[in-house]
Amino acid sequence: MCHCLACQQRTGSVFGVQARWPSERVTVGGQAHAYVRTGDEGGRATFRFCPTCGATVYYELEALPGVVAVPVGAFADPNFPPPERSIYGERRHPWVTTTLAIEELD
Ligand SMILES: [Zn+2]
C-alpha cells in the first residue's frame, strides 16, 4: 500500500495497492502503452496502461529490477489477499485508517 503523492495522482484515489511478482512468473498479453514517471524521491517507474480505458495494468520500478507490480484493483477480486506493508505514511490522508496488522516501512 503506497500513500505517495504520485500514486494518489496515478490512481485518482488517495493511495495505491500493488502486488509484486518476479518478472519470469508474469505473462503479459494484449496491448499496453507505457508512461515513465519519476517518483517523489527520484526513482523512475514505467507504467503500462490499457490503451482503451487508461487503467494501469502493470508497472516496473527502476529500483526493483526483475519485478513486476500489478495494481490489486486490476484483479477486480475483493478476496485478493490484503496488503502486508505500507509506505509513505507521512503522505497518508489523515482519515485513511486500517484494521490490518500492516508493516509501516517509513
Ligand atoms: Zn507510490
Side-chain angles (χ1 to χ4, degrees), residues 1-8 10 15-16 18 37 40 47 59 87-88:
M1 175 185 293
C2 183
H3 301 277
C4 82
L5 299 180
C7 279
Q8 293 182 29
R10 177 182 57 81
F15 59 87
Q18 61 179 261
R37 185 191 76 196
D40 292 355
F47 292 88
Y59 50 104
I87 60 172
Y88 283 99

Side-chain angles (χ1 to χ4, degrees), residues 42-65:
R44 291 169 20 120
T46 301
F47 292 88
R48 311 285 176 167
F49 57 94
C50 172
T52 302
C53 75
T56 307
V57 288
Y58 70 99
Y59 50 104
E60 295 159 298
L61 305 168
E62 190 174 70
L64 293 172

Side-chain angles (χ1 to χ4, degrees), residues 24-102:
E24 67 269 14
R25 293 187 55 203
V26 177
T27 302
V28 176
Q31 295 182 335
H33 287 255
Y35 173 73
V36 178
R37 185 191 76 196
T38 301
D40 292 355
E41 295 182 353
R44 291 169 20 120
T46 301
F47 292 88
R48 311 285 176 167
F49 57 94
C50 172
T52 302
C53 75
T56 307
V57 288
Y58 70 99
Y59 50 104
E60 295 159 298
L61 305 168
E62 190 174 70
L64 293 172
V67 172
V68 173
V70 180
V72 169
F75 293 98
D77 178 4
N79 294 311
F80 198 92
E84 298 174 351
R85 295 175 197 89
S86 177
I87 60 172
Y88 283 99
E90 73 275 12
R91 299 201 172 127
R92 179 193 330 252
H93 286 230
W95 54 266
V96 173
T97 62
T98 181
T99 58
L100 297 171
I102 195 163

